[in-house]
Structure formats: structure tokens, C-alpha cells
Amino acid sequence: MEFFKHNTTINFMAQRKWAAMLSVILCVFSLVVLTINGLNWGLDFTGGTQIQVSYSQAADLVQIHDNLEKAGFPEAVVISYGTSKDVLISLVPKEKNPEMTDEKAQTAMVKQALAALPGAKLDQVNYIGPQVGQEMTSKGFLAILVALLGTMVYIAFRFDMRFAIGSTVALVHDPIIILGVFSFCHIEFNLISLAAVLTVIGYSLNDTIVIFDRVRENFRKFRKADALEIMNQSINQTLSRTIMTSALTLTVVFALFFLGGSLLHGFALALIIGIVVGTYSSIYVAGSLTIALGLTRQHLIALPKEVDERP
């Protein structure tokens, strides 16, 4: 089913210079914010203690945090997960709280602080060491790097190196903006958020591949059109599919954001930003940069070999 009954004729490439300026501003802003603020790393990366507590009735998160603060845990993060009766308490690493030198002592003090609220039951205690956190950090960013390099090689073989450079820059562009928003808003970045970033890379790549496929088809179909006209026509021909896919995906992600609980807020927010920015970058970063690198018909369609008619 087509969203538009007839192909649109929007001149997307006419705004490519303004879009390039916007992308540069957003990326520079994100990098500056990341340099100044850094990321608010979750316990998956920094290490620390996670305590799962269940209550016989709906838990009062504010009261729980107040009790923990009075007990000497001002930086404790208290969130609900699963149901309103289940609570996940995250404590900072020992290095950031030198008074708490023993995990058992931490757990005992937390249990004592929670005793003020009736119905509390300590279900599970998990300690993540700093070495494990550092290993997760290095492996997480290695996963992003491998994904980007693999994407570049794949597109270079399937299309052309100009397409590979354009799509790779677009895929780098999206995570930088996502991380910039997380840093600017001091949102916790954990393994779930990292999974969302990797998901965005795949989502953005899918949009880009659809447009590039149509570009190659149109070069064969319209032999007199130049690269700029072909790119505009290809984007317009896939616009219906892009809008429908993005709208339906955003509907599900917004449901996760508002109904999935605080544990999924970072994941859903990263996907929301990634879907919007990824759709934009597929058109104005990957497409525009490919044109700027001098794409022509000869880069996608092999010229017929001249037949030697000498006897």
C-alpha cells in the first residue's frame, strides 16, 4: 500500500548545503558536550552493586530513595521494573563512596534502610566489578566500530566506494547525535542503551540501502538524467515506504517509552532519536555526500566493451 498515490517531486537535494551545515552543527555540539560532560555511565560499565527488592504493595520510590540517602547512599538510583511492586536499587562503585568498603556492609545498610518501609523483601544482590565494567565498555565500542567497518565493506562491494563513504559517514553521524543528547541531558547510558545504538545503525543502513538500490535502477532506466536528478527521483520514489516504516516503528517505540517503565526509557529514547535522525541522514548525509563525491552513471553501470572489428 502506497502512502502517496503518486510519486512526489520534492527537490530534496536543493537543501543539501543547509542540511550539511545543520549536521555539522549538531555533531560539533554533541562532541563538545561529550568532551565536557562525558556520559553518565550505568553500572554495566562503571561497576557497582544492584539490589532487587520486592514489596507486598506498590513501592514508594521517593520514600525509598530518601531512606537510602539518610543511610549514606545519596547517589543511589531507585527504579521500578516489571511491576510497581518490584524495585531495582543501583549503588555507585566503592571507589566513589570510600566509606562503603565492603559489599556485604553495603547490603546490610541498604536492608536496614529499607526496613523502615513495611513489606520489603530482598530478592537478589549483584556486584559488578570495575574490571568487568571496563571490559564491557571496550567491547561495546568495539562492536560499534566493527559494525561500521563491516557496513562500509559491504556497500563498497555491492555499490561503489562513494556510496560506502556516504553511508558510513551517515552511520557515524547518528550515534554521535544520540550520545550527545544522552550527555547533555545526563541520561544513564547502559548496555540496553548501547543495544539501541547498534539497532539504530542497522535501521539507518536499511533506509540507505533502499535509496541506493533505487538510484542504481534509475541510472539504468533514465539514461539522460544526471546524478542530482536521479538522487532526487530515487528519494521521492521511496518516500512513501520511508514514512510508513518510520511512523509505524515510532508508534511501537513511543509505547515502550511511555509504558515500558523507567528501565526502558534510555533504550526507547535512543531509538526515537535514532529513527528520526537516521531517516534524515539517509537522505541528507548519505545521499548528499555521495553526490558531492562525484557520483556518475559510470560508477554503477559498466560501459560496454568496444568490439575489435579488425580482420
Side-chain angles (χ1 to χ4, degrees), residues 151-168 209 212 215-216 219 286 289-291 293-301:
T151 298
M152 188 172 184
V153 172
Y154 166 73
I155 296 180
F157 275 104
R158 181 171 177 179
F159 296 98
D160 180 79
M161 183 54 71
R162 291 161 186 80
F163 285 100
I165 295 173
S167 61
T168 303
I209 292 295
F212 286 176
V215 169
R216 183 166 54 185
F219 264 128
L289 187 55
T290 304
I291 295 294
L293 291 173
L295 178 69
T296 63
R297 184 185 310 278
Q298 287 72 26
H299 295 136
L300 291 176
I301 303 175

Side-chain angles (χ1 to χ4, degrees), residues 5 15 39 79-80 90 98 120 124 127 137 163 182 200 225 305:
K5 293 184 178 179
Q15 292 83 34
L39 283 171
I79 60 175
S80 60
S90 301
Q124 189 174 1
Y127 174 70
T137 303
F163 285 100
F182 270 68
V200 166
K305 295 182 179 179

Side-chain angles (χ1 to χ4, degrees), residues 34 47 54 122 191 193 267 289:
L34 284 167
S54 60
L122 204 65
L191 282 179
S193 304
F267 176 80
L289 187 55

